[in-house]
Amino acid sequence: MPLSVYVKKKDIKSRCRAFVGKSSKDNKKCLELTMDCHMNKCKKEVDNKISAELIDEDYKKCLEESKGDFKKLDKCHIKILKKNDFYEKYAKMGYCTANKCPEMTKFNGETMHVFFKKIMNGNRSPKCILDKCKKENNELDKNNFDKIEATCNKKYEKYKDYLKCFKHMSKSYKKSVSKYHNCKDTKCNIDNKQNTKKTLTKKSASHTKKSKV
């Protein structure tokens, strides 16, 4: 799901604010769309998914059993989730939201994509990326994670079918991410710019010394 599911209104509000900003008009839209979908159109599916999630006791149990082994910890979590039929309930919730709440799915997906691109870009100039990595940027927008997830959610209600679809479509996403990273790190790398400036400064200083001699 583009935005994690929360039962309480204040939790959904906090989640929306985290991705679209506190004072943004989009914050209100995010809240309204998510509340309408999760509390009305897909309430049953959302409630079922939430009821199958791990609770504090599960985390505590797995932490004690794993004894610091992350692989064992992960296996323990998965075992409980399977027992709770979490994955099937997750797929049914995704199927419902993708089909009954298309506006929310599209809006939240686009919001998340913009948010994660900001994280990927770091301190690099957005203008530099748009100018020098236009092709890679457009390709990533076309094959972004949330679009793939929404497409598979809309088509399949069973987790097995959803997962197969997602794994197949995510190949293009991984390639797009790799190309995007390679371009921005090569053409819009801040460290390279700083190193270039330092090199030019050193060369200039060296030339000045030679001229004085």
Side-chain angles (χ1 to χ4, degrees):
M1 289 295 297
L3 286 174
S4 295
V5 178
Y6 290 85
V7 182
K8 297 177 183 178
K9 182 179 178 180
K10 66 176 183 178
D11 293 329
I12 297 175
K13 194 171 184 179
S14 297
R15 189 69 171 176
C16 285
R17 282 182 176 180
F19 292 107
V20 299
K22 185 177 178 180
S23 60
S24 172
K25 290 180 180 178
D26 288 341
N27 180 54
K28 185 180 178 181
K29 187 176 181 180
C30 172
L31 179 61
E32 289 175 350
L33 291 173
T34 307
M35 284 290 293
D36 181 47
C37 183
H38 293 172
M39 299 298 193
N40 299 312
K41 295 175 181 176
C42 295
K43 189 178 188 304
K44 179 184 175 182
E45 290 78 6
V46 170
D47 287 346
N48 286 340
K49 183 262 183 185
I50 291 172
S51 69
E53 291 177 347
L54 297 172
I55 57 176
D56 291 341
E57 286 78 4
D58 296 326
Y59 287 113
K60 186 178 179 181
K61 179 188 174 184
C62 289
L63 195 61
E64 290 174 352
E65 290 181 0
S66 64
K67 296 178 180 178
D69 188 318
F70 289 107
K71 286 185 178 180
K72 287 182 179 179
L73 182 67
D74 192 43
K75 284 182 179 179
C76 182
H77 288 164
I78 292 172
K79 185 179 179 180
I80 296 172
L81 289 172
K82 284 183 176 179
K83 184 181 178 182
N84 294 346
D85 204 23
F86 169 82
Y87 297 103
E88 288 304 323
K89 290 174 181 177
Y90 172 84
K92 285 182 179 179
M93 184 193 71
Y95 181 80
C96 182
T97 56
N99 285 283
K100 292 185 179 181
C101 315
E103 190 179 356
M104 182 206 76
T105 302
K106 185 175 184 294
F107 176 79
N108 287 352
E110 289 174 350
T111 302
M112 287 292 284
H113 180 58
V114 171
F115 177 79
F116 283 118
K117 270 178 71 175
K118 284 182 180 178
I119 293 176
M120 282 194 287
N121 293 345
N123 293 325
R124 294 172 183 81
S125 166
K127 188 178 183 301
C128 176
I129 294 170
L130 289 174
D131 289 344
K132 297 182 180 180
C133 302
K134 187 177 181 180
K135 181 182 175 182
E136 290 78 7
N137 181 69
N138 291 341
E139 188 178 318
L140 182 60
D141 287 344
K142 183 182 177 182
N143 298 320
N144 82 68
F145 181 90
D146 293 284
K147 278 185 180 178
I148 292 170
E149 187 175 41
T151 299
C152 294
N153 274 331
K154 191 172 183 178
K155 288 181 178 180
Y156 303 105
E157 191 173 8
K158 290 186 176 181
Y159 183 73
K160 183 180 178 181
D161 297 327
Y162 158 80
L163 188 62
K164 185 179 179 180
C165 170
F166 184 79
K167 283 182 177 180
H168 175 71
M169 292 191 70
S170 63
K171 290 177 183 178
S172 59
Y173 167 72
K174 289 177 182 177
K175 288 180 181 178
S176 297
V177 170
S178 180
K179 289 179 183 178
Y180 184 81
H181 274 302
N182 184 56
C183 183
K184 70 179 177 61
D185 290 346
T186 304
K187 298 179 181 179
C188 300
N189 196 320
I190 297 170
D191 292 333
N192 285 347
K193 287 182 179 179
Q194 290 176 343
N195 289 336
T196 301
K197 286 181 180 179
K198 287 179 181 178
T199 303
L200 289 172
T201 303
K202 285 181 180 179
K203 285 184 177 180
S204 178
S206 177
H207 178 72
T208 303
K209 286 181 181 178
K210 286 181 181 179
S211 298
K212 288 181 178 179
V213 175

